[in-house]
């Protein structure tokens, strides 16, 4: 799914914790946002492989959450929120479309690389592809809890993520042609 959807789902899951423990609210929200974004930084390396650890994040989330519950400092709560959000991110990518420039063409089933199994997890395509209408719908629904229940900079992040989600969805189908045109130009040395 697209990055804004990851961010909004992460924030939505962090919202009840932020409300229950207001003292660590900024840490849990910031941790969730960073953890939701971090896996997709591998778009400049081997996307959906280099920083995607579908098993690793899920396993790490258990001790990270346990430590944060026992010792709820902002740092430990932020780290736990980040690891949980990264685990959720990788799970969401499996429910989305395949890892390819035009995922609607379904030329591959690869969703996320599982470093433990040494193989790609297959795309379930519940959400057809990143930037599809159903992906935007998930973004909109996930935005409701943080938009209504949080305030300040958290609400600004929600509005920013929704704006990016709308733009990305509007132009998603044109991105492959732009990428092809750019690589053609680079290929011709201009
Ligand atoms: Zn991803």
């Amino acid at each position: 799914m697209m990055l804004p959807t990851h961010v909004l789902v992460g924030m939505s899951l962090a919202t009840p914790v932020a409300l229950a423990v207001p003292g660590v609210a900024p840490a849990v929200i910031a941790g969730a946002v960073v953890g939701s974004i971090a896996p997709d930084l591998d778009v400049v390396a081997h996307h959906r492989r280099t920083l995607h650890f579908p098993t690793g994040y899920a396993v790490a989330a258990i001790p990270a959450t346990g430590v944060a519950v026992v010792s709820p400092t902002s740092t430990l709560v932020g780290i736990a929120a980040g690891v949980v959000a990264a685990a959720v991110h990788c799970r969401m990518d499996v429910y989305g479309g395949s890892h390819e420039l035009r995922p609607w063409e379904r030329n591959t089933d690869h969703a996320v690389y599982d470093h433990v199994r040494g193989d790609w997890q297959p795309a379930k395509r519940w959400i057809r592809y990143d930037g599809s209408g159903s992906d935007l719908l998930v973004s909109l629904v996930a935005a409701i809890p943080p938009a209504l229940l949080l305030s300040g900079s958290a609400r600004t992040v929600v509005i920013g993520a929704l704006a990016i989600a709308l733009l990305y969805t509007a132009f998603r189908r044109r991105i492959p042609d732009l990428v092809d045109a750019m690589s053609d130009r680079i290929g011709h040395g201009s």
Side-chain angles (χ1 to χ4, degrees):
M1 285 175 230
M2 58 181 161
L3 194 54
T5 307
H6 288 300
V7 169
L8 291 166
V9 168
M11 291 184 79
S12 185
L13 294 174
T15 298
V17 182
L19 295 176
V21 195
V24 295
V28 74
I29 297 296
V33 170
V34 171
S36 298
I37 293 173
D40 276 352
L41 296 179
D42 67 11
V43 72
V44 294
H46 196 156
H47 188 38
R48 297 226 197 153
R49 178 168 179 160
T50 308
L51 293 176
H52 283 65
F53 299 94
T55 305
Y57 292 133
V59 170
I62 298 165
T65 305
V67 169
V69 168
V70 172
S71 176
T73 64
S74 287
T75 304
L76 294 176
V77 169
I79 290 170
V83 176
V84 171
V88 171
H89 176 129
C90 293
R91 198 67 227 157
M92 286 168 65
D93 277 346
V94 171
Y95 297 143
S98 45
H99 167 41
E100 56 189 311
L101 195 53
R102 296 175 176 85
W104 48 87
E105 290 183 354
R106 304 186 174 205
N107 291 317
T108 174
D109 264 343
H110 291 178
V112 179
Y113 190 77
D114 187 340
H115 298 261
V116 173
R117 289 191 340 193
D119 200 3
W120 289 85
Q121 293 189 354
K124 293 185 185 293
R125 303 185 202 277
W126 296 353
I127 302 301
R128 288 190 304 138
Y129 57 89
D130 60 295
S132 62
S134 48
D135 193 1
L136 180 63
L137 184 64
V138 176
S139 261
L140 291 169
V141 172
I144 294 171
L148 292 181
L149 302 171
L150 302 177
S151 57
S153 52
R155 194 173 279 175
T156 309
V157 173
V158 171
I159 293 165
L162 280 177
I164 294 168
L166 281 166
L167 275 173
Y168 188 79
T169 304
F171 293 102
R172 176 63 181 94
R173 289 267 189 165
R174 296 190 198 173
I175 290 174
D177 296 335
L178 278 173
V179 172
D180 285 346
M182 281 171 68
S183 47
D184 272 359
R185 285 179 71 95
I186 292 165
H188 288 100
S190 55

